[in-house]
Amino acid sequence: LMDTHNPEFAEQAAITASVVADELRIGFWPKRFGSIPQWITLEPQIFSWMDRLCADYSGGVWSFYTLSHGGAFMAPEPDGEKWTLFNPMNGNDAEMSGEAAGLAACLMAYNHHACRTECDAMTEHYYLLRDYALIHPECSAIMNLID
């Protein structure tokens, strides 16, 4: 049972996601990830993780999101369909919304990039995104897939 009177929980529960406007997309990566080595490879890495995790994925338009506590992620544009993802590394699969699928792919990419670059700022981005994933309505599906 979660202690909703815990101030830390209240702070986490208040994390909100906002879609980045089209005209601001160009600055999304450099503004938030510019200090991280090889940040330019993050977007293709996320597509690659989505491709690896989702047999039905064949590209498409993604939205960028900023989080109220400083985090950021991208996800396939919402079209109401459910995505089936499978992680061959832990044998788990999950059916989820496009946003949750994007969160899972970003978490995998961020974690991998943080390990590869040993960059504290990238590790911080991973944990900011994980904090949001932990309060997401599809938290259990996301965590089951990536843990």
Side-chain angles (χ1 to χ4, degrees):
L1 198 64
M2 282 191 251
D3 176 10
T4 53
H5 298 294
N6 179 327
E8 191 181 340
F9 175 82
E11 190 180 302
Q12 279 192 332
I15 303 166
T16 56
S18 307
V19 178
V20 174
D22 284 349
E23 63 272 17
L24 299 176
R25 287 171 67 100
I26 191 80
F28 177 81
W29 293 108
K31 184 177 173 189
R32 284 165 194 84
F33 296 82
S35 67
I36 295 160
Q38 297 124 45
W39 64 267
I40 199 101
T41 66
L42 279 166
E43 192 170 341
Q45 282 182 58
I46 293 162
F47 295 144
S48 166
W49 275 106
M50 187 67 168
D51 201 40
R52 202 173 305 168
L53 296 168
C54 184
D56 299 329
Y57 176 69
S58 57
V61 180
W62 289 52
S63 296
F64 292 154
Y65 296 86
T66 55
L67 298 172
S68 55
H69 69 337
F73 71 101
M74 58 188 285
E77 284 206 344
D79 54 10
E81 72 173 287
K82 287 283 188 187
W83 298 70
T84 302
L85 277 68
F86 171 71
N87 184 348
M89 293 177 288
N90 65 12
N92 291 336
D93 64 351
E95 192 178 59
M96 55 182 69
S97 68
E99 182 176 303
L103 283 168
C106 285
L107 284 164
M108 296 295 276
Y110 289 11
N111 185 27
H112 182 76
H113 199 76
C115 291
R116 212 163 45 93
T117 60
E118 297 181 353
C119 173
D120 290 344
M122 193 67 229
T123 303
E124 175 72 5
H125 267 290
Y126 171 80
Y127 283 108
L128 287 170
L129 191 55
R130 193 170 184 276
D131 284 346
Y132 179 66
L134 287 170
I135 61 156
H136 195 273
E138 298 171 81
C139 168
S140 57
I142 297 166
M143 292 305 159
N144 188 36
L145 194 75
I146 67 160
D147 280 348

